[in-house]
């Protein structure tokens, strides 16, 4: 059944769509069969009464033609099926299983799977449970990937700076990673290592795209990243598919939250799912991207430079994903269903700065709580006053009393970027690369 052209409304069997959905999710459940049997005593009793009524009608009419009896049987069976149907979802206002017209709306819309599809909570839960078992058997988890500043960077052609205009003639010279999309008046640069990243990640994860861009943009970017349709298939979610404005949510992802990892450059987009999030260092290839986030510096394109292919952000994050995957599927763990990838993330994160004792000095008041929380999540101990146990003074001014103490006592005096870098790469960074010196 074509997910683009076919509709349960015009299908000879509305169960065809359930079968398609189950197949697409590897969720082969007997619940989607048209030969569904009653599940409890009440259903059996209802079915028995209907059949007795039908038999009574047949006995009283005796000489009724065989054709009419068969027609009555079909009507009665259709009625019984509708009465017993749990209405797992709807297409428009019709049940996707029995075709009955439904009043009101409940559940969640999954328009990216099929326009007009709405699944009810019980069916969503069933599909997630079924797909989870299949995924775990294949030693896979779920990975939700952001697009902009995570896997790629895009800009409007009109926003190219004067130093970037020569890119218009270089779309064939950057290893097939730069694309001019005339019909969208845009230019897109894929992040270095992205194709290798997707290839290796696909062996460990069932992957989704989730962007705050609109649907046409999301599908266009998916083609650039996955031209053969190997990785994402129909799992491309845009802002048009979300249930909350300016927020992303796992309610439209058919995966158990306990097995979902999120890779995104914006924490605020995932307020309800921070424990699933791996925060990504932003990719600023174009000048418009730098300006968008308030950076008064030249872009990578203006500098005629780019991230390192083998030691850049995606290559480092792939190693983090491998560690998470390996820990989750540790051979010593017997019952995988009870495992939670959020606990694995928290445990691995807490090892990054373990053993570090930090005191902050003259950090901008608005940034201090965020830095402190970040450091503590990575296992550091944060104090308000200096003592012999302190290992690091984090400051922006080398002239403060605490900064001078650090130099005198031969403690590390580092810029806040040292903490941010450790957070992005899930690894303690060499202090010498972030040493704060007097101006």
């Amino acid at each position: 059944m074509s997910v683009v052209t076919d509709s349960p409304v015009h299908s000879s069997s509305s169960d065809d769509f359930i079968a398609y959905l189950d197949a697409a999710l590897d969720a082969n459940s007997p619940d989607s069969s048209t030969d569904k049997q009653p599940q409890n005593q009440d259903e059996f009793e209802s079915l028995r009464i209907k059949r007795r009524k039908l038999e009574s009608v047949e006995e009283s009419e005796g000489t009724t033609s065989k054709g009419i009896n068969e027609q009555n049987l079909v009507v009665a069976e259709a009625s019984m099926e509708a009465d017993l149907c749990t209405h797992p979802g709807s297409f428009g206002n019709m049940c996707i299983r029995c075709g009955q017209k439904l009043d009101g709306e409940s559940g969640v819309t999954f328009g990216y799977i099929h326009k007009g599809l709405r699944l009810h909570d019980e069916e969503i839960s069933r599909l997630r449970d079924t797909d989870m078992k299949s995924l775990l058997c294949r030693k896979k988890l779920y990975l939700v990937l952001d697009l902009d500043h995570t896997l790629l960077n895009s800009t409007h052609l009109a926003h190219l700076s004067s130093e970037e205009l020569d890119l218009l003639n270089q779309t064939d010279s950057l290893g097939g990673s730069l694309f001019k999309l005339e019909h969208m008046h845009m230019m897109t640069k894929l992040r270095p290592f992205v194709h290798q990243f997707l290839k290796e990640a696909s062996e460990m994860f069932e992957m989704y795209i989730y962007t705050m861009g609109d649907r046409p943009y999301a599908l266009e970017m998916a083609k650039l990243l996955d031209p053969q349709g190997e990785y994402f298939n129909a799992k491309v979610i845009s802002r048009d598919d979300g249930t909350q404005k300016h927020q992303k949510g796992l309610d439209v992802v058919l995966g158990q939250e306990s097995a979902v990892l999120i890779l995104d450059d914006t924490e605020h987009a995932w307020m309800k799912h921070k424990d699933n999030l791996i925060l990504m260092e932003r990719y600023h290839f174009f000048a418009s991207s730098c300006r968008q986030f308030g950076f008064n510096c030249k872009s990578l394109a203006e500098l005629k430079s780019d991230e390192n292919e083998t030691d850049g952000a995606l290559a480092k994050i792939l190693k983090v994903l491998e560690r998470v995957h390996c820990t989750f599927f540790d051979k010593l763990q017997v019952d995988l269903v009870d495992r939670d990838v959020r606990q694995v993330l928290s445990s691995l994160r807490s090892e990054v700065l373990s053993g570090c004792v930090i005191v902050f000095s003259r950090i901008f008041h608005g940034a201090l709580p965020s830095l402190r929380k970040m450091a503590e999540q990575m296992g550091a101990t944060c104090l308000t006053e200096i003592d012999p146990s302190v290992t690091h003074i984090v400051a922006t001014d080398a002239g403060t009393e605490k900064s001078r103490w650090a130099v005198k006592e031969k403690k590390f005096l580092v810029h806040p970027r040292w903490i941010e870098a450790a957070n992005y790469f899930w690894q303690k960074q060499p202090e010498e690369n972030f040493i704060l010196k007097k101006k």
Side-chain angles (χ1 to χ4, degrees):
M1 175 177 175
S2 169
V3 73
V4 178
T5 60
D6 289 351
S7 160
V9 175
H10 301 107
S11 172
S12 59
S13 170
S14 59
D15 279 331
D16 287 350
F17 183 69
I18 291 293
Y20 162 77
L21 188 59
D22 283 350
L25 299 169
D26 292 321
N28 299 314
S29 168
D31 287 350
S32 63
S33 169
T34 56
D35 296 326
K36 183 179 177 183
Q37 298 298 317
Q39 299 296 309
N40 55 50
Q41 187 61 38
D42 289 340
E43 291 183 359
F44 273 112
E45 182 64 18
S46 174
L47 188 59
R48 185 181 65 80
I49 292 172
K50 288 178 180 290
R51 284 175 176 165
R52 284 186 61 185
K53 288 181 179 179
L54 183 59
E55 290 166 359
S56 176
V57 170
E58 290 175 342
E59 289 174 2
S60 64
E61 294 184 351
T63 58
T64 304
S65 68
K66 181 179 178 181
I68 295 177
N69 280 337
E70 289 178 348
Q71 184 177 7
N72 287 339
L73 181 61
V74 170
V75 172
E77 287 179 346
S79 175
M80 284 186 284
E81 182 180 348
D83 287 346
L84 295 176
C85 183
T86 58
H87 308 311
S90 59
F91 184 85
N93 63 349
M94 294 178 63
C95 174
I96 59 177
R97 178 165 292 158
C98 70
Q100 181 177 329
K101 186 174 181 180
L102 305 176
D103 295 326
E105 291 186 347
S106 62
V108 179
T109 299
F110 287 83
Y112 68 93
I113 295 177
H114 194 294
K115 187 176 180 181
L117 172 66
R118 178 179 287 271
L119 296 176
H120 294 181
D121 293 341
E122 295 79 3
E123 182 67 1
I124 294 172
S125 179
R126 183 190 75 78
L127 288 169
R128 283 176 175 160
D129 287 344
T130 305
D131 198 41
M132 178 77 167
K133 292 173 184 176
S134 170
L135 223 59
L136 293 180
C137 287
R138 292 182 284 133
K139 284 197 171 183
K140 282 192 171 187
L141 297 170
Y142 304 94
L143 180 61
V144 177
L145 296 164
D146 173 52
L147 288 178
D148 297 286
H149 307 108
T150 298
L151 299 182
L152 51 82
N153 192 201
S154 295
T155 188
H156 288 285
L157 295 178
H159 294 165
L160 289 171
S161 69
S162 57
E163 296 177 78
E164 293 175 329
L165 290 177
D166 60 338
L167 291 174
L168 296 172
N169 301 316
Q170 294 182 29
T171 52
D172 297 325
S173 61
L174 292 180
S177 65
L178 183 66
F179 300 88
K180 181 168 64 175
L181 309 169
E182 294 280 9
H183 63 293
M184 300 180 75
H185 309 289
M186 294 181 65
M187 179 166 277
T188 293
K189 172 67 172 61
L190 302 186
R191 198 166 197 164
F193 195 71
V194 69
H195 288 302
Q196 187 65 25
F197 171 87
L198 293 176
K199 179 181 178 181
E200 295 191 34
S202 69
E203 297 174 2
M204 301 180 286
F205 301 94
E206 192 75 20
M207 298 189 297
Y208 284 76
I209 283 175
Y210 199 149
T211 176
M212 292 303 279
D214 60 23
R215 185 145 192 81
Y217 174 75
L219 294 175
E220 195 69 34
M221 295 303 104
K223 288 179 185 177
L224 299 183
L225 293 166
D226 184 20
Q228 304 301 320
E230 300 174 78
Y231 308 130
F232 304 113
N233 195 9
K235 301 186 294 295
V236 179
I237 306 171
S238 69
R239 69 176 179 221
D240 308 318
D241 305 305
T243 57
Q244 284 186 288
K245 197 171 184 180
H246 307 309
Q247 280 289 300
K248 297 178 181 180
L250 295 180
D251 53 345
V252 292
V253 175
L254 286 173
Q256 295 282 19
E257 289 185 24
S258 60
V260 177
L261 292 176
I262 302 165
L263 196 61
D264 202 312
D265 69 288
T266 306
E267 183 180 38
H268 296 303
W270 296 97
M271 297 305 289
K272 292 184 178 181
H273 306 287
K274 289 183 179 181
D275 292 341
N276 299 80
L277 177 65
I278 295 176
L279 194 62
M280 194 72 183
E281 184 180 26
R282 289 193 175 107
Y283 182 48
H284 298 294
F285 185 76
F286 297 108
S288 61
S289 179
C290 295
R291 293 193 298 268
Q292 178 185 347
F293 291 93
F295 294 116
N296 185 23
C297 61
K298 287 192 174 185
S299 68
L300 289 169
E302 290 172 325
L303 294 170
K304 314 298 183 192
S305 181
D306 208 346
E307 286 186 354
N308 190 293
E309 178 83 18
T310 57
D311 196 35
L314 284 177
K316 289 183 176 180
I317 285 298
L318 181 63
K319 294 177 182 177
V320 175
L321 294 176
E322 289 171 345
R323 286 174 60 203
V324 173
H325 183 272
C326 181
T327 303
F328 187 95
F329 289 102
D330 189 326
K331 292 180 180 179
L332 298 177
Q333 301 295 336
V334 180
D335 194 354
L336 291 173
V337 176
D338 294 331
R339 300 236 65 196
D340 194 323
V341 74
R342 292 167 292 194
Q343 295 176 359
V344 175
L345 270 185
S346 177
S347 176
L348 291 178
R349 183 183 277 119
S350 68
E351 298 172 1
V352 176
L353 294 182
S354 178
C356 297
V357 181
I358 297 172
V359 169
F360 294 95
S361 177
R362 201 171 293 179
I363 300 296
F364 176 62
H365 182 70
L368 183 56
S370 176
L371 280 172
R372 178 184 292 274
K373 181 180 179 181
M374 196 180 293
E376 289 176 342
Q377 286 178 334
M378 289 187 287
T381 299
C382 296
L383 304 179
T384 56
E385 299 296 333
I386 56 177
D387 68 33
S389 69
V390 172
T391 59
H392 295 74
I393 297 293
V394 177
T396 55
D397 183 353
T400 69
E401 182 181 345
K402 291 175 180 176
S403 295
R404 292 195 300 270
W405 175 87
V407 174
K408 179 182 176 182
E409 297 296 325
K410 293 182 171 46
K411 306 290 184 177
F412 290 112
L413 177 60
V414 293
H415 193 276
R417 284 194 293 269
W418 175 73
I419 294 177
E420 295 170 349
N423 187 57
Y424 282 131
F425 300 128
W426 291 63
Q427 187 174 22
K428 182 182 173 186
Q429 300 299 294
E431 285 87 354
E432 56 267 26
N433 295 341
F434 300 88
I435 291 294
L436 189 65
K437 297 181 179 178
K438 286 187 177 181
K439 297 180 182 179

